[in-house]
């Protein structure tokens, strides 16, 4: 169920009018729904019911402490890809044994940090990383649990910038070399090989690539077991896509995804981990913005918003589509006109949409970008010295600012002047 709905002509977030929050917080800001986050996490948890599993939320999708805490309280594990994300997960109360550490370039400092604080497993992605991790663990008198991320050479059929499972991508070790690499891992004193990891990409709208990858993982599990490895855990990554438009887009549901997992790897008796990010957070968040000006151009009208590419970079970076809706519900019969929707940043790439059909809008009107909860706030920057976008969380009738808008002084005072100036 969608928790950002019109009621009495106004957009609500759960039980709170979005315009009330805008009046209190100012625009632009990200706004998340606790009910949606909760529901989406549970969909995955329930889809894997009957298997020994852990849903490890991909922290990179939306990493605010309040979001992590909401999910941690539901029993979520976390998938982190940096020391910073590891620290965030710990600070939100996630125990180390529920945190998996992914990423192609973990540093020794990050490895040490996770071994000290506790870790479920490292998903290692190369031989040199295995050697470094074994060294670090041995120095600490520890043994690091690992899964090796394999690259199954499967086309995820998604945007090229977020496909990770093809041989040409930097991720994982080629599955063809997996048996050798596992033999090397088993021989390293600081490592305990517990499983296999795979993640083929993000925003997958078809289950077939998952099936191809998971079949390969199942085959590899049996081969590695035959080689004497105790493969007891499979990390199947994230990647399930979400609908970004409200038309006929219908990506597979978590239940169908769960059924596919059981079908492809269920017989192996392994503990299952999955790492969803986008599906948990994406449609649990919107970006609320105000119209600054409507400007008439040559053969087009520009809707100039107070949100920009620094707040939401997905359209500029991936040609991504986000539905844009007025916060005041337009009359059903209201005329629609095409707008080029842009932000105030000084480059042409700061364009959210071209010729987007919207009801007529005027300066001061509020609009919301839908499906902005994942890879929105986390990818925001202060380009053009625009303050980092604030975040707000709603839970039924209450809302709270969960990241405040920094004052200009806070931004500027992060710089330091060298003594010779
Ligand atoms: N696990 C690993 C190892 C990943 O690299 C990712 C995402 C996930 C899990 C979560 O995938 P999800 O369920 O969210 O699809 N910034 C891009 C998306 C980058 C995804 C990176 N990896 C975007 O805005 O579309």
């Amino acid at each position: 169920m969608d928790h950002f709905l019109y009621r009495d002509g106004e957009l609500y977030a759960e039980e709170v009018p979005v315009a009330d929050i805008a009046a209190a917080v100012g625009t632009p800001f990200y706004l998340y729904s606790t009910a949606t986050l909760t529901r989406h996490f549970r969909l995955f948890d329930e889809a894997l019911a009957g298997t020994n599993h852990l849903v490890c939320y991909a922290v990179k999708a939306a990493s605010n402490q309040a979001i992590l805490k909401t999910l941690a309280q539901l029993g979520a594990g976390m998938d982190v890809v940096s020391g910073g994300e590891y620290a965030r997960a710990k600070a939100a109360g996630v125990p180390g044994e529920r945190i998996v550490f992914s990423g192609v370039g973990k540093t020794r400092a990050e490895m040490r940090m996770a071994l000290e604080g506790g870790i479920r497993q490292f998903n290692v992605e190369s031989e040199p990383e295995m050697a470094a991790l074994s060294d670090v663990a041995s120095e600490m008198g520890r043994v690091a649990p690992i899964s090796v991320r394999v690259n199954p050479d499967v086309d995820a059929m998604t945007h090229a910038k977020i496909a990770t499972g093809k041989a040409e991508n930097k991720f994982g070790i080629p599955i063809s070399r997996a048996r050798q690499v596992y033999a090397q891992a088993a021989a390293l004193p600081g490592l305990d090989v517990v499983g296999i990891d795979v993640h083929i990409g993000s925003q997958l709208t078809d289950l077939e690539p998952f099936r191809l990858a998971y079949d390969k993982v199942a085959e590899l599990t049996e081969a590695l077991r035959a080689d004497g490895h105790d493969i007891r855990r499979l990390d199947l990554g994230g990647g399930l896509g979400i609908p970004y438009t409200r038309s006929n887009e219908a990506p597979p549901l978590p239940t169908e995804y769960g059924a596919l997992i059981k079908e492809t790897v269920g017989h192996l008796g392994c503990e299952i981990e999955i790492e969803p990010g986008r599906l948990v957070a994406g449609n649990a968040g919107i970006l609320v913005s105000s119209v600054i000006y409507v400007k008439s151009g040559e053969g087009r009208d520009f809707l100039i918003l107070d949100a920009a590419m620094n707040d939401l970079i997905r359209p500029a970076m991936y040609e991504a589509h986000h539905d844009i809706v007025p916060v005041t519900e337009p009359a059903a019969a209201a005329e629609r006109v095409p707008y080029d929707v842009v932000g105030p940043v000084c480059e042409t790439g700061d364009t959210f949409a071209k010729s987007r059909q919207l009801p007529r809008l005027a300066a001061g009107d509020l609009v919301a970008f839908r499906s902005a909860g994942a890879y929105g706030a986390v990818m925001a920057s202060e380009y053009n010295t625009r303050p980092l976008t604030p975040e707000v969380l709603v839970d039924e009738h209450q809302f709270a600012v969960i990241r405040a808008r920094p004052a200009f002084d806070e931004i500027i005072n992060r710089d330091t002047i060298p003594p010779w100036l």
Side-chain angles (χ1 to χ4, degrees), residues 280-298:
V280 175
N283 277 318
I286 60 175
L287 170 64
V288 182
S289 176
S290 306
V291 176
I292 307 179
Y293 299 115
V294 181
K295 163 170 157 170
S296 296
E298 186 73 47

Side-chain angles (χ1 to χ4, degrees), residues 56 58 60-61 79 81 102-103 123 125 149 161-162 164 171 197-199 201-204 235 237-241 244 275-279 314 318 374-376 379:
C56 296
K60 63 169 79 65
D79 165 50
V81 292
S102 301
N123 292 330
E125 301 214 16
R149 176 165 175 182
K161 285 188 184 159
I162 53 173
T164 55
F171 298 99
D197 171 45
V198 70
H199 171 78
S202 193
Q203 187 54 17
L204 273 72
D235 184 335
L240 194 57
Y244 275 97
E275 304 170 347
R278 191 189 307 265
L279 203 146
R314 302 194 67 259
Y318 315 107
Y375 308 111
M379 295 181 81

